[in-house]
Amino acid sequence: MDNTSRITLYDESDFRGLRRAGQLAAACLDFIEPHVVPGVNTEKLNDLCDGFIRDHDAIPAPLNYRGFPKSICTSVNRVICHGIPSKNHLLREGDIINIDVTVILDGWHGDTSRMYGVGDKIPLKARRLCTVTWNSLNFALDAVRPGATLGDIGHAIQHYAEGMRMSVVRDFVGHGIGRKFHEPPHVFHFGNPGKGLALLVGMVFTIEPMVNFGKPHGKMLSDGWTAVTQDRTLSAQYEHMLAVTKDGLEVFTHSPLGLQDKLNANV
């Protein structure tokens, strides 16, 4: 269980740096959107994002982090998370892909991810999964306020996603973030209302639900990073980075161009 004494509480002066880093990460996801097309390889997307980040005087945090070999994560179709970009992986019409970007700007981390559809013919099943995942993130954000608990956040995601006959991945969590890429608390995407750590003003963390169309179980590929659904069904993820404030929350990673909710289906 996370110990409150280990959690860093940030103030408004810190928020200025977190805001800039979060907005740069979100702007990178806006920038890459027109490049996510049939026939492009995921290493090209990596290189474009790497260039964008460095052109804005920042560093891609994933590169060489615990041995990760690329600057972003590209998770396609049944990949739950941490997909490694490759020149051999060409996107195809109808694919869905999560692109996960974390930047370090003036020592502060900005972390966000988003789903993209490849081409114009995205299957309804895939669109529905992305919409449910996006909605689950927003229900979780609605639960964030001082005095609420991490269990309230997890329950909001789990209750909605499972009510839509989908499943929430248990093996990966959101996390505290700031000067460090990963720090306490762990933010589970399932749970019970009123349980777990109480939220305090100044806490900064990510919420990043991973939702599967089938069962929640995953497995790791031989590269040691790529997690895929065990039953080979589709998976989707959205991620925001936020701070708990006295009035509720501030999300640092909203899309500057309003592009984050483009995969929409009636659910």
Side-chain angles (χ1 to χ4, degrees):
M1 182 177 291
D2 292 304
N3 187 330
T4 307
S5 65
R6 296 174 57 225
I7 295 173
T8 302
L9 299 180
Y10 296 96
D11 60 25
E12 180 56 39
S13 64
D14 301 319
F15 288 179
R16 287 193 287 272
L18 289 160
R19 226 174 258 129
R20 291 180 63 238
Q23 277 295 281
L24 179 59
C28 184
L29 291 182
D30 285 354
F31 157 78
I32 203 62
E33 194 265 346
H35 301 280
V36 181
V37 294
V40 72
N41 66 65
T42 53
E43 187 168 88
K44 176 67 172 177
L45 300 179
N46 175 85
D47 293 347
L48 286 167
C49 287
D50 181 277
F52 179 90
I53 292 165
R54 295 181 190 278
D55 286 347
H56 289 80
D57 300 319
I59 300 168
L63 184 61
N64 299 320
Y65 180 79
R66 297 181 179 175
F68 190 78
K70 297 293 182 178
S71 298
I72 63 172
C73 298
T74 52
S75 302
V76 183
N77 293 335
R78 66 178 288 237
V79 178
I80 295 170
C81 61
H82 302 155
I84 300 174
S86 168
K87 64 182 179 182
N88 296 320
H89 193 149
L90 272 62
L91 297 183
R92 299 177 299 176
E93 179 80 30
D95 283 346
I96 55 172
I97 176 174
N98 176 274
I99 298 179
D100 192 342
V101 168
T102 308
V103 306
I104 307 171
L105 180 64
D106 298 328
W108 295 102
H109 287 77
D111 188 4
T112 185
S113 81
R114 190 183 307 170
M115 297 301 299
Y116 301 81
V118 181
D120 300 319
K121 299 176 181 177
I122 311 303
L124 180 59
K125 179 172 157 181
R127 296 174 71 89
R128 188 170 183 272
L129 171 65
C130 292
T131 298
V132 168
T133 309
W134 172 248
N135 289 347
S136 73
L137 171 59
N138 283 285
F139 281 124
L141 295 175
D142 289 343
V144 176
R145 64 185 65 86
T149 68
L150 291 176
D152 295 334
I153 293 172
H155 175 75
I157 294 166
Q158 181 183 8
H159 178 74
Y160 172 72
E162 292 181 353
M164 301 305 291
R165 299 183 178 274
M166 298 184 190
S167 63
V168 178
V169 173
R170 290 343 194 232
D171 298 331
F172 301 95
V173 300
H175 53 89
I177 189 168
R179 291 285 187 184
K180 297 178 181 177
F181 196 165
H182 296 93
E183 57 186 48
H186 296 309
V187 182
F188 293 93
H189 303 120
F190 59 94
N192 296 308
K195 300 296 184 180
L197 196 69
L199 304 185
L200 302 173
V201 172
M203 291 173 65
V204 176
F205 52 85
T206 68
I207 304 176
E208 44 188 295
M210 287 145 270
V211 177
N212 294 347
F213 203 90
K215 295 180 179 179
H217 314 296
K219 64 179 182 179
M220 195 71 68
L221 298 186
S222 60
D223 62 27
W225 282 101
T226 307
V228 299
T229 57
Q230 206 168 81
D231 59 8
R232 305 187 68 85
T233 55
L234 295 172
S235 187
Q237 178 188 17
Y238 284 90
E239 175 184 9
H240 270 318
M241 182 179 87
L242 60 100
V244 181
T245 67
K246 62 183 178 60
D247 299 318
L249 80 164
E250 179 179 347
V251 176
F252 296 129
T253 48
H254 283 307
S255 163
L257 300 179
L259 300 179
Q260 56 205 5
D261 186 22
K262 294 195 74 176
L263 279 170
N264 195 19
N266 293 322
V267 297

